Amino acid sequence: MLVFSTSDKGGTGRSVTSCNIAYRLCLSGRDVAYVDFDFGSPTAGALFEISAMERGTAVGGTHSYLLGECDTAASVDVGTATDRTELKRVGPRSGRLVLFPGDEGGAEFLACDDAIVTRCVELLATLDQEFPVVVVDLSAGRSIALDIVLQATALPQLRRHTARWLIFHRWTRQHILAASGLVYGQHGLLQTGASYGHDSDELLGSLRYVRTAVPDTNSHLSTQRAAQAAWLQEHDAALRRLATANRLGTTAVLGESPIEPVLQYREQLILDSDVNTHIANIETAQAYIELARRLIDIATWERL
Ligand SMILES: Nc1ncnc2c1ncn2[C@@H]1O[C@H](COP(=O)(O)OP(=O)(O)O)[C@@H](O)[C@H]1O
Ligand SMILES: [Mg+2]
């Protein structure tokens, strides 16, 4: 299964959430490939705490590979290469988590040609055979990265491969409108996809939203003042109405992540050890487990 993670804006929590979903899928026994197609800002190495790849790899990253500058895309086994001790010990029933990093000092593509699309098809087709789940983190917005994979997945070689599209957005007014625009707007995902030969209904059926850093409006432990709590609840209800009006309502949502203090200060995987030591909230780990479960659950993807 090919999973494309995208968002209209940067800073939506797309990479952090995608890495955490990939990690949870690996813990549940699946082999997962994580492909960094956020060419201008390849952060996956940092999220998996691979110090040699904090900002991508020096040789053979995804950008160089697509340009034909190397024959194979660089890859690294996260469990082996990570500096984080607890991440090395994923347990015997876990799958493999393999990172295909971006290029250090890489930049966004300014244009896309047939050769790039062909190489993208080859990479994704090969990975989809080797890994049950392939997560591709795309550059934000109406990027060339999005263009490349929309073209690639419309071609006969990838047509029969299962593809899922995850659109990440924060739980704010602007982010909701931006995410809706990315999907339904001019030159958005649906319009661009259709121009490359995708069936719009099918594309829409394979797309779900992920709301990130959503505040808990029902928290009994909350330190909010009464006026703040009332405002938050009212505001949250207004956002829900806005999301529904913009076709991002509950039925189109894969799930959400709660605001996590650890992630406000540090981009990282939330491990069970972080929860057991009371550093991270258990609700955050549970949210990622649930997102991972729904992602691979066929029932999630029944037509809306
Ligand atoms: N659930 C969350 N709660 C609080 N902060 C979060 C949460 N998820 C992500 N973040 C933070 O938001 C920032 C942007 O996340 P990132 O994944 O880099 O976004 P993107 O890939 O969309 O640019 C990071 O500092 C990250 O740690
Ligand atoms: Mg990112």
Side-chain angles (χ1 to χ4, degrees), residues 14-15 38 41 43 137:
R14 165 175 33 87
S15 304
D38 189 348
S41 174
T43 54
D137 185 14

Side-chain angles (χ1 to χ4, degrees), residues 10-16 170 213 257-260 263-264 266-267:
T12 59
R14 165 175 33 87
S15 304
V16 166
R170 289 209 170 232
S257 68
I259 289 186
E260 167 55 56
L263 297 177
Q264 287 182 309
R266 189 166 191 271
E267 296 80 5

